[in-house]
Amino acid sequence: MNTLFGLLIIAVGSFCQSSSYVPIKKVREWSWESFWLSQGLFAWLVFPLLGALLAVPAGGSLAGVIGADPAAAFKAAGYGVLWGVGGLTFGLSMRYLGVALGQSISLGTCAAFGTLFPAIFGGADLFRGPGLILLAGVAVTLAGIAVIGYAGSLRARSMSSDEKRAAVKDFALTKGLAVALLAGVMSACFNLGLEAGRSLQLPEMNPLFAALPATWMVTLGGFVTNAVYCLYQNAKNRTFGDYARTELWANNLLFCALAGGLWYSQFFGLAIGRSFFDAGSVVAAFAWCILMALNVTFSNVWGILLKEWKGASRKTFAVLAAGLAILIFSLVFPNLF
């Protein structure tokens, strides 16, 4: 029952994350770099900080938590800087491929590397026992995402250039795939950062929130990467004036805050959901892959609702449905053993 409850919490967070790109469509008359940095203020700084404060023991401080193991905190932030490259290119993959296909490719790669790297670095044997189950679970997830990717390629082949632009304004398949794969590999560093920050989970903390200080350190590092790039793009494209358009603040900051809060929900849910899993169990090790599989599932649902699959053939929809079914199966796979 605890495992099921943990999975439900992760699913709620995943649904919120997959919904986070919808408010961004309501941002008006700002360049990509301006709204990406603005929503990042909420997604990677404000909400993660509030989450980390929930973990602070009574009478303590966040500085005291971080000071318990500064080396671990610094290492988590370092992984966050690398993850920031993934977060940045992840946004670009949405721009070139759309919500459905962009998230599918990026998150599929992220699911594999983010799940297997911590296990490998921890000395797990992936060819026997629990390690083999973990490897098989990742393979099932990747199979589902590969099928969804194939559905995306079928859709792309059947659409004219004008139809592609109508569904995704800046659609570019080759560029988008390259960016999405890079995003997936670098985004896997987020889970490595969480593992590196495990020593920040102090015994006196509420276990529901214990992983959130490490989460904040990772997102803090990611914010640095994204801020540097976005400010560079502001200078290059002469778009600093976006921030001076005070008549747009109420609308744009509202939707950026909403997008940022929804995005952060995935890691808030992951931290809480994982606390219901038995420590050292296969499902606990597989939690990252579960989150990514759910993100892909919900993102494709949003892709359908946003009409990114409009005009696709019945065969394409059948392939998409098969891929989603495999992903749903992958969520329960580790509990079959």
Side-chain angles (χ1 to χ4, degrees), residues 3-320:
T3 298
L4 181 60
F5 193 57
L7 289 174
L8 179 60
I9 292 172
I10 293 175
V12 171
S14 172
F15 176 77
C16 290
Q17 184 278 337
S18 298
S19 306
S20 66
Y21 292 92
V22 178
I24 285 179
K25 293 180 177 292
K26 299 294 185 178
V27 175
R28 296 188 290 112
E29 300 178 40
W30 271 3
S31 63
W32 179 88
E33 55 270 18
S34 297
F35 79 70
W36 189 250
L37 179 58
S38 297
Q39 67 84 30
L41 284 170
F42 296 99
W44 310 317
L45 287 185
V46 176
F47 287 109
L49 175 59
L50 294 176
L53 290 173
L54 291 175
V56 175
S61 66
L62 184 57
V65 172
I66 302 301
D69 192 344
F74 182 80
K75 189 174 182 180
Y79 276 120
V81 171
L82 297 177
W83 162 77
V85 177
L88 177 63
T89 49
F90 186 77
L92 290 174
S93 72
M94 304 301 106
R95 180 178 180 179
Y96 296 133
L97 297 177
V99 173
L101 186 56
Q103 287 208 52
S104 297
I105 303 301
S106 299
L107 295 178
T109 310
C110 181
F113 285 98
T115 301
L116 296 179
F117 277 169
I120 294 171
F121 293 164
D125 185 348
L126 297 179
F127 299 101
R128 66 180 64 185
L132 182 59
I133 297 173
L134 184 67
L135 183 62
V138 171
V140 172
T141 301
L142 288 179
I145 293 171
V147 172
I148 290 175
Y150 176 58
S153 68
L154 289 176
R155 180 198 64 161
R157 287 203 297 264
S158 65
M159 296 171 69
S160 67
S161 297
D162 290 340
E163 288 173 328
K164 292 174 184 177
R165 296 296 188 277
V168 182
K169 182 180 178 181
D170 297 319
F171 186 86
L173 183 61
T174 302
K175 182 191 294 186
L177 288 175
V179 170
L181 289 172
L182 175 62
V185 173
M186 299 306 290
S187 292
C189 291
F190 198 108
N191 200 32
L192 291 173
L194 295 180
E195 294 297 320
R198 277 190 176 274
S199 59
L200 301 179
Q201 300 181 29
L202 307 181
E204 60 269 28
M205 286 180 173
N206 185 329
L208 287 177
F209 309 122
L212 294 177
T215 302
W216 179 59
M217 293 307 301
V218 177
T219 60
L220 180 62
F223 175 77
V224 171
T225 304
N226 281 264
V228 169
Y229 179 80
C230 288
L231 292 174
Y232 166 75
Q233 288 296 317
N234 280 140
K236 178 182 176 182
N237 300 326
R238 299 180 179 180
T239 53
F240 277 114
D242 289 345
Y243 308 118
R245 302 182 65 181
T246 55
E247 73 277 9
L248 298 175
W249 283 5
N251 178 82
N252 289 1
L253 291 180
L254 171 63
F255 286 111
C256 283
L258 180 57
L262 289 171
W263 181 92
Y264 173 66
S265 296
Q266 64 179 314
F267 296 117
F268 188 79
L270 178 65
I272 295 177
R274 262 181 170 170
S275 69
F276 288 91
F277 302 153
D278 294 332
S281 65
V282 173
V283 70
F286 198 64
W288 178 263
C289 202
I290 289 172
L291 175 63
M292 295 301 109
L294 284 167
N295 284 352
V296 172
T297 301
F298 289 128
S299 68
N300 276 279
V301 171
W302 273 114
I304 293 172
L305 294 176
L306 294 174
K307 299 182 179 180
E308 292 181 357
W309 294 92
K310 183 179 180 180
S313 66
R314 290 185 178 180
K315 177 182 178 181
T316 300
F317 274 112
V319 173
L320 175 62

